[in-house]
């Protein structure tokens, strides 16, 4: 996979990204809200990275998380994409996510990238339903979901123990039909699905 936005390249991981993959997923700030996928060792990272490379070559791949980099410098920004949870007669059910280094926050990179990922998912990859979520306190992440047209489905009070206390989790979704309706409105208004903002 190789996708582009106005400012970013979103592509499959390559062997040369091995160290960057480890560095990203061991960064304390980047992975603060994702302790379940944060690595504790290089061995753990290398094992998962090997699986990622192998899965990318499969026709029935399940892991669509992409390396995010700046177009002008090719500096690593983070990772974004989705995992296929089920395949149904109407399309794939996937769970999406994203995480970037703090130095790239407040530049609109995640919103810009997520819009492009959604476009690929619904228009090229046969996705029927996208789900994602975040802790209620993570307002920046929720804003990305809202700006990309996702619909809030649930608010789970005191859902998970994190960093010393129970936290509330929000769940968002986007269906193919909702995506198509939004796309039609954007085309009517002369807008597009890509672009940038400040989230």
């Amino acid at each position: 996979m190789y996708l582009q936005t106005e400012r970013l390249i979103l592509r499959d991981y390559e062997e040369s990204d091995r160290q960057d993959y480890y560095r990203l997923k061991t960064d304390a700030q980047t992975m603060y809200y994702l302790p379940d996928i944060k690595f504790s060792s290089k061995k753990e990272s290398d094992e998962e990275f090997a699986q990622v490379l192998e899965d990318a070559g499969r026709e029935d791949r399940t892991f669509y998380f992409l390396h995010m980099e700046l177009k002008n410098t090719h500096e690593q920004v983070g990772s974004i994409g989705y995992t296929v949870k089920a395949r149904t007669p109407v399309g794939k059910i996937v769970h999406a996510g994203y995480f970037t280094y703090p130095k790239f926050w407040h530049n609109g990179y995640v919103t810009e990238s997520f819009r492009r990922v959604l476009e690929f998912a619904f228009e090229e990859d046969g996705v029927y339903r996208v789900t994602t979520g975040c802790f209620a306190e993570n307002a920046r992440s929720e804003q990305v979901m809202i700006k990309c047209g996702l619909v809030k489905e649930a608010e789970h009070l005191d859902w998970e123990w994190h960093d010393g206390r129970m936290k509330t989790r929000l769940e968002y979704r986007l269906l193919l039909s909702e995506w198509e309706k939004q796309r039609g409105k954007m085309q009517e208004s002369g807008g597009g699905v890509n672009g940038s903002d400040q989230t």
Side-chain angles (χ1 to χ4, degrees):
M1 281 180 61
Y2 186 93
L3 308 176
Q4 294 190 63
T5 70
E6 180 183 347
R7 300 174 294 172
L8 298 158
I9 294 170
L10 316 175
R11 60 169 176 80
D12 276 330
Y13 285 99
E14 303 168 351
E15 178 59 42
S16 59
D17 301 316
R18 181 179 295 271
Q19 184 60 32
D20 285 342
Y21 191 78
Y22 170 71
R23 185 170 61 94
L24 177 69
K25 295 191 70 174
T26 53
D27 184 83
Q29 281 186 279
T30 300
M31 306 305 294
Y32 175 71
Y33 285 115
L34 300 165
D36 55 323
I37 63 170
K38 181 177 182 288
F39 294 138
S40 58
S41 70
K42 184 66 162 59
K43 179 183 178 183
E44 187 180 7
S45 175
D46 286 344
E47 288 175 352
E48 181 176 287
F49 190 69
Q51 293 175 355
V52 168
L53 295 182
E54 180 183 0
D55 184 70
R58 295 170 58 94
E59 194 169 319
D60 60 343
R61 68 184 288 179
T62 60
F63 191 75
Y64 287 81
F65 273 84
L66 306 174
H67 172 92
M68 301 169 62
E69 64 180 51
L70 296 176
K71 271 185 179 179
N72 57 352
T73 65
H74 296 286
E75 183 178 3
Q76 182 189 35
V77 173
S79 185
I80 191 167
Y82 55 85
T83 301
V84 179
K85 295 298 185 180
R87 290 175 169 85
T88 77
V90 295
K92 298 176 183 177
I93 310 299
V94 307
H95 186 77
Y98 38 77
F99 44 97
T100 63
Y101 286 114
K103 66 181 288 187
F104 298 111
W105 295 349
H106 311 297
N107 288 294
Y109 291 138
V110 176
T111 303
E112 181 177 330
S113 299
F114 197 34
R115 284 174 175 157
R116 183 66 183 93
V117 167
L118 291 171
E119 180 183 31
F120 168 82
F122 289 120
E123 295 189 3
E124 300 179 53
D125 197 38
V127 170
Y128 178 78
R129 177 185 174 93
V130 174
T131 63
T132 190
C134 65
F135 285 129
E137 69 181 48
N138 191 359
R140 285 191 298 266
S141 183
E142 185 183 13
Q143 281 301 305
V144 169
M145 299 170 200
I146 293 170
K147 289 183 178 182
C148 289
L150 275 71
V151 179
K152 185 177 178 180
E153 280 198 311
E155 181 171 338
H156 302 292
L157 298 178
D158 289 349
W159 177 256
E160 185 176 337
W161 182 265
H162 177 262
D163 198 16
R165 63 186 177 88
M166 293 299 294
K167 294 186 178 181
T168 295
R169 180 171 175 82
L170 309 177
E171 298 289 347
Y172 277 77
R173 67 132 207 282
L174 188 61
L175 301 177
L176 174 60
S177 58
E178 293 167 334
W179 162 263
E180 290 175 337
K181 184 179 293 185
Q182 292 174 18
R183 182 182 59 178
K185 288 181 179 179
M186 285 186 283
Q187 290 174 342
E188 289 175 7
S189 64
V193 296
N194 295 319
S196 62
D197 53 41
Q198 296 303 309
T199 299

